[in-house]
Amino acid sequence: PVSDIQLGDSIRNQADIYFDFNAPIVTNLVTTTFVDELSISDRSKLQIVLYPNPTSGVINFRSEVPIDRVELYSVLGQRLLAKAIQHKTRGNIDFSSLPQGTYFVRVFAEGATDNFQVIKR
């Protein structure tokens, strides 16, 4: 890799692909932009704590700010649960009926959202 690439740099590229002696097939022009890592942060923006994680049954949550609602998603992005919390700072989500695996919890509070990865044993 090129050593002087910086975050925010963009590289444009296009290719000519040759098969035997035929005219080349020209690919689309693409642009790759180098960004910071895209992931779910371990640190909550809204100061929300989910525990225990991993879980075998119920995930509890505690927050410094009132929570509006909590949603649970599969790794395929399917919403499995939407639960209104009604401005409470504590609550839970019951995972006991779900199979083992990885899930994502989205918490809505004070006009912002925060995402968490939860593992069900």
Side-chain angles (χ1 to χ4, degrees):
V2 178
S3 62
D4 63 344
I5 296 288
Q6 301 289 321
L7 288 178
D9 286 353
S10 294
I11 296 175
R12 296 170 49 115
N13 202 356
Q14 186 174 28
D16 296 336
I17 303 172
Y18 291 87
F19 294 99
D20 298 324
F21 297 105
N22 298 318
I25 296 173
V26 180
T27 64
N28 295 333
L29 179 64
V30 296
T31 303
T32 302
T33 302
F34 292 86
V35 297
D36 204 1
E37 194 174 318
L38 298 175
S39 66
I40 294 178
S41 174
D42 290 337
R43 300 190 63 180
S44 172
K45 295 176 284 204
L46 296 172
Q47 299 174 343
I48 298 168
V49 178
L50 271 70
Y51 61 94
N53 189 12
T55 185
S56 57
V58 175
I59 284 283
N60 300 297
F61 54 86
R62 184 180 70 237
S63 172
E64 297 293 322
V65 297
I67 296 171
D68 299 319
R69 75 179 188 277
V70 176
E71 295 178 351
L72 177 65
Y73 291 87
S74 72
V75 293
L76 300 175
Q78 300 164 313
R79 188 168 71 178
L80 304 173
L81 170 82
K83 182 177 182 180
I85 306 301
Q86 301 174 350
H87 305 290
K88 296 180 184 174
T89 58
R90 294 181 181 273
N92 61 51
I93 304 169
D94 188 357
F95 280 72
S96 59
S97 65
L98 298 172
Q100 293 180 350
T102 302
Y103 296 89
F104 297 98
V105 175
R106 178 172 281 171
V107 179
F108 297 82
E110 294 191 335
T113 61
D114 218 342
N115 299 296
F116 300 87
Q117 180 177 335
V118 176
I119 297 172
K120 164 79 182 334
R121 290 191 216 174

